[in-house]
Structure formats: C-alpha cells, structure tokens
Amino acid sequence: EVRIDFCATNPSRLRGEAEVSLDVDVKNVPELTVKVFVIDALAHFLARGREIDASVDLDGMVATHERVLRFEHPALRVHRERVALPECAAPGTYVVELQGGGRSSRAVLRKGWLSHFVRRSAAGAVLYALDEQGRPAREASVWMGGREHRARPDGGIALPFSARGASEPALITQGGRATVAHVALPAEQFSLSLGAHVEREALVAQQ
C-alpha cells in the first residue's frame, strides 16, 4: 500500500506573512516529489467565474518549484513528515502536489485574503476592502463582469448600480491576495421631490 495523505490539521488559509509547512502521512514512498504551482487567481476567475479548488486543471502546466524528498523508512511503516514550503513565502494562491509511488495528493493554499463592506452612494455602491488583519487595502481593485474597478485615493471602489438589485460575483485583489466574493449591489431607482417656500406677496396671478 502506498499512502500520501495530508493531515486534517493543516490550514488552508494563512496570513500573508506566515511561514508555510504541511504535515503529511507517508507510507511506502522512498522518494516524494514536491511540486508547487503559483496560480493566477485573476485568470482563473475570468475563465471560470469561481474560486480555485483542488480540481483545478494543471495539465500542461510546469511547476513553478519542484524538489524531491527521500526517506529510508520501512515500506510497512506510516511516518508523518512536515514539508516546509519556503516557495510559498509571498501572499498568493498555490497548489501543492505531492507525488510518489504512483500516487499523488494535492492541496490548495491561500496566503492572505480580503474581506469587504459596501455602502450606498448616489452613483451606485462603494466597496472598501480589508486585509486578513482588518487593515484597509487601499490599493485593491475589483473585477466584476469582466471589468476592473480601481480604488480611489480614499480606498473606496465605486461600483455601478445593478439592473436586478442582486449579489454579483466579483474578485477582490491586492498584490498577491485574491478573494472571490458576492457583492450586493443596489438596484437603480429614480425619484424626484421638491420643497419650496415662497412669500405670498411674491405671487402674482397668472404669473
């Protein structure tokens, strides 16, 4: 039996500056190939409209980093190894694939993420992005409907009204951070009201 199993205690989301290592249970694998793929989250979102998961197609892609780990444990023994991943130092989205003994296992890692809140404005909605520590992400941008919306100097990102007044899928990005979110956009509604005060002495009949 050959086993390459990621431990359930491994995190799938980490802070942007955190060090990365994965615990894996290995059996009957004398040589374990570690492949790290740096994924373009924007290209994936524009093509698929959803977040990256472990089913992402890597056929034809060359690993950004690749190395081999060698073990001398007996074939009958399951041993737990901690695989350090200095290749994942920067914020971003990574797919880590471990191969050996005719088997492979895959993990998706997201380093750094973005949350948001939205307020209504006269021109639509204004989105403010926050990093994983709750700090304003003033250089963030939002991709929605195939268009990029950039942040203003105050960090707000102006988004147009929605024809349906519903949540729209969007990708919020800043540097290597990329998070798919559903942003609630208000529907455009027009109304006009007028209040006026005029002195009675200023009113002239028929004028």
Side-chain angles (χ1 to χ4, degrees), residues 4-152:
I4 305 175
D5 299 329
F6 287 106
C7 298
T9 54
N10 287 320
S12 60
R13 293 181 181 269
L14 302 99
R15 294 182 183 273
E17 67 280 0
E19 297 182 357
V20 183
S21 61
L22 294 176
D23 292 333
V24 57
D25 290 333
V26 183
K27 179 181 179 184
N28 194 19
V29 180
E31 292 188 354
L32 184 68
T33 301
V34 180
K35 294 183 177 182
V36 179
F37 297 85
V38 180
I39 304 299
D40 187 341
L42 174 58
H44 185 275
F45 177 78
L46 294 178
R48 301 285 189 273
R50 56 184 174 84
E51 199 166 43
I52 297 167
D53 56 26
S55 65
V56 59
D57 186 9
L58 298 178
D59 290 343
M61 291 184 61
V62 178
T64 311
H65 306 280
E66 182 174 341
R67 53 192 166 94
V68 177
L69 304 178
R70 294 176 173 82
F71 310 113
E72 298 181 356
H73 298 279
L76 294 177
R77 178 182 172 188
V78 178
H79 52 100
R80 179 162 295 182
E81 301 292 337
R82 174 158 292 181
V83 180
L85 296 168
E87 302 90 345
C88 304
T93 304
Y94 303 88
V95 173
V96 180
E97 194 165 65
L98 305 182
Q99 299 176 347
R103 293 182 63 89
S104 66
S105 292
R106 182 183 292 180
V108 178
L109 296 177
R110 297 175 179 88
K111 286 205 66 187
W113 64 88
L114 297 168
S115 58
H116 72 280
F117 66 91
V118 178
R119 69 171 179 84
R120 188 165 181 169
S121 71
V126 180
L127 181 145
Y128 294 88
L130 308 172
D131 66 13
E132 64 270 18
Q133 299 185 46
R135 300 174 300 193
R138 298 189 180 278
E139 298 180 358
S141 62
V142 173
W143 284 84
M144 179 183 292
R147 295 181 55 191
E148 182 184 18
H149 304 270
R150 295 179 178 272
R152 306 178 308 198

